[in-house]
Amino acid sequence: FVFYKLSYKSEKYDSRDVERLQQDDKWVENYLIWRHDVVDDTLKMIDESLQWRKEYTVNDLTESVLPKWLFENGSLFLHGYDKEGYKLFWFRVKHHTRDPKQQLEKKKLVAFWLEHYAKRDHGKPLTVVFDMAETGISHIDLDFVRFIVNCFTDYYPNFLSKYCILNLKHSAFKIVKGWLGPDAISMLKFTNKSDVQEYISGEYLPPHMGGTDSFKYSYPPLVDDDFQTPLCENGPITSEDEHESKEEIDADTKESGELNEEQNLNQKKMNSIEQISKSEETDKTEIKPKNAKKALTTFKGPLLHISPAEELYFGSKETGEKKCLIVLTNVTKNVVAFKVRTTAPEKYRVKPSNSSCEPGTSLDIIVSLHGGFAASLQDRFLIMAAEMDQSSGAGVPELTQFWKEVPRTKVMEHRLRCHVIESSKPSSLTLKENAFNIPAKTNEDLHIQLTRLLQINKRLQEQIDRCLWFQQLSVVLSLLSVTVVAFCFYLAYTQRS
């Protein structure tokens, strides 16, 4: 419907955005959410944002297109996370100067960073930080600030977590409130050194804000503080890559024994889920000898299907949920090499973290918290995958050489976030240390009922589609019948004449 309403203006848009609009339901849904499901307002926003994207050539903005000095300036960059796990988009106002001749290029830099992050992290909201430290009146550029605000209000739907304006000394900046709608005003936070840590923890704040972050912006390369360190198989303990400690083995054996009886009781429930739909059987993988809940979401990449699609659910220290399961399914006709990286290699153990997956098969990856660490909303995982030649081996030396030689353009990347929960109801594949207790059974029942409802809904939709098809067929046959009868009457009339 949206595409139909806008198609007559297609010459005003980039064809790539039009194609995305047809294929990306999540994008359209974000527009609707941002405009409170008011269709006319949503259409207006889509129209304006698509025209803006073509005007600023957003799809073609790359490092090579923009002047190098823009990146070297350091006024705009992505770094760190707020307490809710949202990425921080920094605007260091002291490095910005008003210059009408450079305004368009600076605005394109904003669009570059927003598009860069939107594609990388699938449109998860950003927290925008206006750092006003050491600024004077010459740095205040309300036209540029308004452009940044408009990017979130008009061009990037449902992409804003909050605005944090730090160390505000100039009342002129408060005019920003007038540019925001009622909903966006609630996202505006005026803070200072004493209360900024209500929103951003000290580990991602520079010292002049009372934080401990030693990060210093520099370019090149492009700032990407995620996934800098490759993850070894057992996290930071490189000497334990091949064997677990005796204590861990004994603990796992004891835990498996305690689970056997409960797993037998719950096997019927698991089987009932598997029998609901044949389509689910194709996604089914071998379950480890610990409780694993079936993910309801799957990322379907060109090389691998990855479950869960977006988030790994860990519990707090009290809930005891310290292990998660990632399922990789090779959808190609070749062997696919993969490796897993994380932003917190000191916390997590991943098995396997660097291996390969045979064509048409599935493979389980167990992610577990190491030692006494707790999961954080800021933690991220990166899954990298690439097709291997049939002649290539799959041993450790061959994989190491493969990753050194494979072109970056042939590598599929997918990112997963961490989600910390207090209850025992994750929607991802979670391996619980105290599995199948009474609350877990309740959640299992809910999970079964939800899966059944989804399948019933799917079958109802199929029945509706069949009814519509038969209805259309009936209409066509009726028209043919009327035509034949009319033709017979016509022949009879002409013969009498």
Side-chain angles (χ1 to χ4, degrees), residues 55 111 124 136 145 149 182 258 322 336 350 352 409-410 441 444 464-465 468 476 490:
E55 178 187 352
K124 187 179 180 183
V145 172
V149 171
E258 292 173 350
K322 295 183 178 181
V336 172
V350 178
T409 54
K410 293 186 177 181
K441 289 181 181 179
E444 186 69 26
I464 291 172
D465 291 340
L468 289 173
V476 172
Y490 173 75

Side-chain angles (χ1 to χ4, degrees), residues 82-84 88-91 93 126-132 160-168 173 176 184 187-192 195-200 205 209:
D82 68 9
K83 286 191 170 182
E84 296 178 273
L88 300 178
F89 183 40
W90 292 86
F91 178 26
V93 182
L126 287 166
T127 291
V128 183
V129 182
F130 292 93
D131 182 4
M132 305 291 293
L160 177 68
S161 166
K162 66 182 76 68
Y163 296 106
C164 284
I165 301 179
L166 307 175
N167 300 314
L168 180 65
F173 215 80
V176 172
M187 301 177 182
L188 185 62
K189 314 295 181 184
F190 291 99
T191 64
N192 52 47
D195 61 4
V196 64
Q197 293 198 33
E198 180 181 344
Y199 307 104
I200 305 169
L205 287 173
M209 294 183 186

Side-chain angles (χ1 to χ4, degrees), residues 209-236:
M209 294 183 186
T212 58
D213 191 357
S214 59
F215 169 79
K216 300 290 184 183
Y217 179 87
S218 64
Y219 179 86
L222 194 67
V223 174
D224 184 357
D225 54 327
D226 287 354
F227 315 111
Q228 294 297 324
T229 306
L231 180 65
C232 62
E233 177 137 339
N234 278 341

Side-chain angles (χ1 to χ4, degrees), residues 464-482:
I464 291 172
D465 291 340
R466 284 196 294 270
C467 289
L468 289 173
W469 186 83
F470 281 119
Q471 186 181 45
Q472 293 171 352
L473 181 62
S474 299
V475 171
V476 172
L477 292 176
S478 298
L479 290 174
L480 286 174
S481 300
V482 171

